Amino acid sequence: MNASSAQNSLPPNRYERAEYVKPDGRKLWLYSRTHIDVGDIPSPSPEAVAATPHLRWHPLRGEWVIYAAYRQNRPFLPPPNYNPLAPTRDPENPTELPQGAYDVAVFENRFPSLVPEPGPAPTIDGTLTADGVGACEVVVYSQDPNTNVGELDASHVELLVDVWADRTTRLAERGLAYVLPFENRGVEVGVTLHHPHGQIYAYDFLPPVQVRTLQMARAHRESHGEAWLETFVRTERAASTRVVTDAGEALSVVPPFARYAFETWIVPARAATRLSDLSQQERRAFAALISDTVRRFDALFEQPMPYLMTIHQAPTDGTDYPEWPLHIEFYPYLRAKGKLKYLAGTEQGAGVFANDALPEAKAAELRAVKLPGAS
Amino acid sequence: MNASSAQNSLPPNRYERAEYVKPDGRKLWLYSRTHIDVGDIPSPSPEAVAATPHLRWHPLRGEWVIYAAYRQNRPFLPPPNYNPLAPTRDPENPTELPQGAYDVAVFENRFPSLVPEPGPAPTIDGTLTADGVGACEVVVYSQDPNTNVGELDASHVELLVDVWADRTTRLAERGLAYVLPFENRGVEVGVTLHHPHGQIYAYDFLPPVQVRTLQMARAHRESHGEAWLETFVRTERAASTRVVTDAGEALSVVPPFARYAFETWIVPARAATRLSDLSQQERRAFAALISDTVRRFDALFEQPMPYLMTIHQAPTDGTDYPEWPLHIEFYPYLRAKGKLKYLAGTEQGAGVFANDALPEAKAAELRAVKLPGAS
């Protein structure tokens, strides 16, 4: 360790965090394993995008739908190869992020689906409407546009877990009912920005998937006398056929009820409800499994696997939910080399997924992957 | 009308139907506006594909997931440009369909996700399993591989509505609880077979989307004293902003709670629960609106619109469901020219759709479409 990095190092398991306001009024938060030191805070445009989202109630599915049509105040014509998530190099073409020392950046989405103060929802005869209250944030994983979560340093991914935990806590403090961090990756699923990043959606209501999880987890706890996570971890460790990697404090599993061929869940070895519940040791295991999962996906067909990753934590409405199973779900979209899984009639029209692969076989394939650099 | 067609014509509003067994044991049904007259009934292979699907219960989403891994008895290497849905021209390379006189064909899917007799489900410690009982059928709309539902004769689309109604009734007679006809169209959503066709899935349980619809429709009927469809049609006709085409007995509407930009629903003007409830006049209106919808979609961006169409009828478990709203949902996947809608974190992880367009604006765009051949 040289003098400079020793000087800048923080105590182990800690990070620095700083908050800024962008020229267009949006918030930016920087997180770093060393001291944060940045120049001017940029924004692609000095003027805010007018966002007045609202919700409408779907009367047959019984769920809210978000409507977010944007009025842009001026045209924005990015130069070729413009990467809004890279640090600003050319002040004539500002990006979302400053130059300087930091590891992870979070900022309020320029085109949000939900905002803190959306303005009143329209009145529609026969349709229930509501204000589009919430938050949409972008999480930039690294300053390097060419890396990914499988290639980052272990301590960098640990910081990312800390960032998700911190944003969840802070959005909860604003009174939002549910915080969903996720990452959607791959040109195959419409992601045109290759710089490694994820997003966070925060809702002022409990979304339907989470309503259902809570019902199911509560029923399990009542009938089994223990949290669903405890039963699941014990059962999967005993069966062992679907465990991909057991990291002690946490494990990755192709669940017996996987809806996507190589669907992989990361679960803590003990019942926990939010990332903020986890000890630093447990966060380290989570981070290691996130990297391990993405590296296995990418090695599987020798191409970057398009995937959706969602982090399922307990609701943030101020209540404790000891029955809630903290876990991360990865949906890899390739079911075989070159073959994407599409959601068609049975999935979208009936809510019944059809999987042409058995979880036991796919877990074996993921275990058998030869990871680059592994001995 | 010449002598031959007069001789072959059936009474108005009627069709002929014939049932066959393929060489590999699967059933085939042909439907025709004139008398059916065909040669040998083919199958791509004389041997059946072994399908033993089973269900596993997703303990946090509370829904069944279908597992259907196939064992093929022998390799099947189709020749270039082989179209399994075209009538068989070369007996050396049999397709799914015979040559001869018929308009629409339905056959049991060679790679079914659900079958009448699936064999026992495996036992998995900690996971509820069930036999994959049901049916999966393919509906070939026409012998012409280069047409589509927007281009077929009006009476041909009417026959298609009759076929969906007939298949629903017959699958209900087998004791299946829910019948879902659907069409998934477009290379953009993984459909590699361009021959115009749809599918039918029939389940031996009520799928989660339909469970929810039933709950919501029942609550509406109790609180409003009328079926949801009646309220909806009256409200949408009064507002008029979201009606695309009003055909009297039925109308097409971008619903106020659309989840896809150009999402379009076809609803009967009176409360009805199944296609088989509709009079021939109403079926004619439904057929006209199906064509009208697809023609507007295809003209919108001057390219075939990728879409999912699902037909929502009442459950077929022998009970009457006067509250059930019969309707067809079209989800067009393009939200703008060249821009596909993908389901990402908020849709898949939370069940909350985000739509960046307002239904009122998109209905106006669909109304403004200049249809080829229209005056």
Side-chain angles (χ1 to χ4, degrees):
Chain A
M1 188 182 283
N2 62 34
S4 158
S5 73
Q7 189 184 14
N8 284 341
S9 284
L10 290 163
N13 307 332
R14 296 299 303 273
Y15 59 87
E16 194 172 300
R17 174 186 177 277
E19 177 174 311
Y20 307 88
V21 177
K22 285 167 162 287
D24 64 2
R26 287 177 296 138
K27 294 256 176 74
L28 166 72
W29 301 272
L30 299 179
Y31 294 83
S32 186
R33 290 167 292 173
T34 54
H35 284 305
I36 293 168
D37 180 12
V38 292
D40 290 344
I41 300 300
S43 184
S45 160
E47 289 166 64
V49 172
T52 56
H54 69 272
L55 310 177
R56 302 184 185 188
W57 183 250
H58 193 304
L60 296 186
R61 290 191 179 246
E63 61 190 36
W64 289 110
V65 180
I66 302 172
Y67 296 86
Y70 305 106
R71 285 175 291 110
Q72 276 196 255
N73 293 335
R74 63 173 209 178
F76 172 63
L77 298 170
N81 303 320
Y82 173 79
N83 173 3
L85 304 187
T88 298
R89 304 281 171 217
D90 170 11
E92 293 293 302
N93 287 304
T95 68
E96 292 283 9
L97 295 179
Q99 291 204 46
Y102 60 91
D103 290 318
V104 174
V106 181
F107 57 84
E108 292 179 310
N109 199 320
R110 194 157 166 251
F111 301 98
S113 295
L114 297 166
V115 296
E117 295 176 357
T123 301
I124 301 168
D125 195 26
T127 296
L128 192 61
T129 63
D131 304 349
V133 175
C136 286
E137 299 179 348
V138 177
V139 181
V140 182
Y141 294 176
S142 162
Q143 292 195 30
D144 180 355
N146 298 314
T147 188
N148 70 66
V149 83
E151 286 177 355
L152 291 172
D153 284 353
S155 69
H156 198 136
V157 184
E158 268 179 70
L159 175 65
L160 198 50
V161 174
D162 287 332
V163 169
W164 288 322
D166 185 61
R167 291 312 308 152
T168 302
T169 303
R170 290 174 189 272
L171 288 161
E173 284 166 2
R174 282 203 217 153
L176 293 168
Y178 196 77
V179 181
L180 180 76
F182 66 90
E183 180 188 350
N184 200 31
R185 194 184 84 166
V187 283
E188 298 90 340
V189 290
V191 182
T192 50
L193 215 48
H194 302 305
H195 196 116
H197 72 287
Q199 295 185 56
I200 296 173
Y201 268 51
Y203 311 86
D204 79 336
F205 58 90
L206 194 61
V209 168
Q210 282 70 29
V211 167
R212 191 71 170 153
T213 298
L214 201 54
Q215 283 172 347
M216 303 301 294
R218 192 163 288 171
H220 181 96
R221 195 159 185 262
E222 281 164 12
S223 61
H224 289 67
E226 66 177 2
W228 178 82
L229 257 181
E230 291 179 68
T231 314
F232 181 72
V233 168
R234 191 178 56 249
T235 311
E236 289 308 309
R237 276 186 165 158
S240 84
T241 48
R242 288 171 297 265
V243 174
V244 180
T245 302
D246 193 330
E249 285 84 2
L251 52 160
S252 61
V253 181
V254 178
F257 45 83
R259 301 182 306 156
Y260 290 86
F262 293 97
E263 181 170 337
T264 301
W265 288 29
I266 296 171
V267 295
R270 64 171 179 99
T273 71
R274 296 193 186 93
L275 290 176
S276 59
D277 293 349
L278 300 182
S279 68
Q280 203 62 32
Q281 189 67 11
E282 288 172 317
R283 292 186 198 202
R284 190 165 297 146
F286 253 62
L289 288 172
I290 291 168
S291 291
D292 181 78
T293 300
V294 172
R295 278 184 286 131
R296 285 179 194 278
F297 286 168
D298 290 352
L300 201 56
F301 304 123
E302 295 173 320
Q303 67 170 99
M305 170 70 86
Y307 66 73
L308 174 66
M309 179 206 69
T310 51
I311 301 179
H312 295 255
Q313 304 175 88
T316 50
D317 57 3
T319 315
D320 267 347
Y321 291 98
E323 67 272 41
W324 185 277
L326 166 67
H327 66 283
I328 297 180
E329 299 184 13
F330 276 93
Y331 305 157
Y333 287 118
L334 290 175
R335 54 192 173 85
K337 195 170 175 76
K339 287 192 179 170
L340 279 168
K341 165 76 177 172
Y342 293 94
L343 305 188
T346 187
E347 287 90 1
Q348 291 210 60
V352 181
F353 272 62
N355 187 343
D356 63 6
L358 294 183
E360 296 72 24
K362 297 295 139 176
E365 287 181 43
L366 285 170
R367 277 195 303 269
V369 159
K370 293 241 185 311
L371 291 181
S375 54
Chain B
M1 189 180 285
N2 62 34
S4 158
S5 72
Q7 190 185 11
N8 285 341
S9 284
L10 292 163
N13 308 332
R14 294 300 304 271
Y15 58 87
E16 195 173 300
R17 173 186 176 278
E19 177 174 310
Y20 307 87
V21 177
K22 286 168 162 285
D24 63 2
R26 288 177 296 140
K27 294 257 177 74
L28 165 73
W29 301 273
L30 299 178
Y31 294 83
S32 185
R33 292 166 292 174
T34 54
H35 285 303
I36 293 167
D37 181 11
V38 292
D40 290 344
I41 301 300
S43 184
S45 160
E47 289 166 65
V49 172
T52 55
H54 69 272
L55 310 177
R56 302 183 186 189
W57 183 250
H58 192 305
L60 297 186
R61 292 192 177 244
E63 61 191 36
W64 289 110
V65 180
I66 302 172
Y67 296 85
Y70 305 106
R71 283 176 293 110
Q72 277 199 253
N73 293 336
R74 61 173 210 178
F76 172 61
L77 297 170
N81 303 318
Y82 173 80
N83 173 2
L85 305 186
T88 298
R89 303 282 171 218
D90 170 12
E92 293 291 303
N93 286 303
T95 68
E96 292 281 12
L97 296 178
Q99 290 204 48
Y102 60 91
D103 290 319
V104 174
V106 180
F107 58 84
E108 292 179 311
N109 199 320
R110 194 158 166 251
F111 302 96
S113 295
L114 298 166
V115 296
E117 293 175 359
T123 301
I124 300 168
D125 193 27
T127 296
L128 193 61
T129 63
D131 304 349
V133 175
C136 286
E137 299 179 350
V138 177
V139 182
V140 182
Y141 293 177
S142 163
Q143 293 195 30
D144 180 354
N146 298 313
T147 189
N148 69 67
V149 83
E151 286 177 355
L152 291 172
D153 285 352
S155 69
H156 197 135
V157 184
E158 269 179 69
L159 174 65
L160 198 50
V161 174
D162 287 332
V163 170
W164 289 321
D166 185 60
R167 291 312 308 153
T168 303
T169 303
R170 290 175 191 271
L171 287 161
E173 284 166 2
R174 280 203 219 154
L176 293 168
Y178 197 77
V179 180
L180 180 76
F182 66 91
E183 180 189 349
N184 200 31
R185 195 185 83 167
V187 281
E188 299 89 339
V189 290
V191 182
T192 49
L193 213 48
H194 303 306
H195 196 117
H197 72 287
Q199 295 184 58
I200 296 173
Y201 267 52
Y203 310 87
D204 80 336
F205 58 91
L206 194 60
V209 168
Q210 283 68 30
V211 167
R212 191 72 170 153
T213 297
L214 202 54
Q215 283 173 346
M216 301 301 294
R218 192 163 286 171
H220 181 97
R221 195 160 186 261
E222 280 165 11
S223 61
H224 290 66
E226 66 177 3
W228 178 83
L229 257 181
E230 291 180 68
T231 314
F232 180 73
V233 168
R234 191 176 58 248
T235 310
E236 289 307 308
R237 276 185 166 158
S240 84
T241 48
R242 289 172 296 264
V243 175
V244 179
T245 303
D246 193 330
E249 284 84 2
L251 51 161
S252 60
V253 181
V254 179
F257 44 84
R259 300 182 306 157
Y260 289 86
F262 293 97
E263 180 170 337
T264 301
W265 288 29
I266 296 172
V267 295
R270 64 169 179 98
T273 72
R274 295 192 186 94
L275 291 174
S276 60
D277 293 350
L278 300 181
S279 69
Q280 203 62 32
Q281 189 68 12
E282 288 172 317
R283 294 185 196 203
R284 190 165 297 146
F286 252 63
L289 289 172
I290 290 168
S291 292
D292 181 79
T293 301
V294 172
R295 279 185 285 131
R296 287 180 194 277
F297 286 167
D298 289 351
L300 201 56
F301 305 123
E302 294 173 321
Q303 67 170 98
M305 170 69 88
Y307 66 72
L308 175 67
M309 179 205 70
T310 51
I311 302 178
H312 295 256
Q313 304 176 88
T316 49
D317 57 3
T319 315
D320 266 349
Y321 292 98
E323 68 272 41
W324 185 276
L326 166 67
H327 66 283
I328 297 180
E329 300 184 12
F330 275 95
Y331 306 157
Y333 288 118
L334 289 175
R335 54 192 173 84
K337 197 171 172 76
K339 287 190 180 171
L340 279 169
K341 165 78 177 172
Y342 292 94
L343 305 188
T346 187
E347 287 89 2
Q348 293 210 59
V352 182
F353 272 63
N355 186 342
D356 63 6
L358 294 182
E360 295 74 23
K362 298 295 137 178
E365 287 180 45
L366 285 170
R367 278 196 303 271
V369 159
K370 295 243 186 308
L371 291 180
S375 55

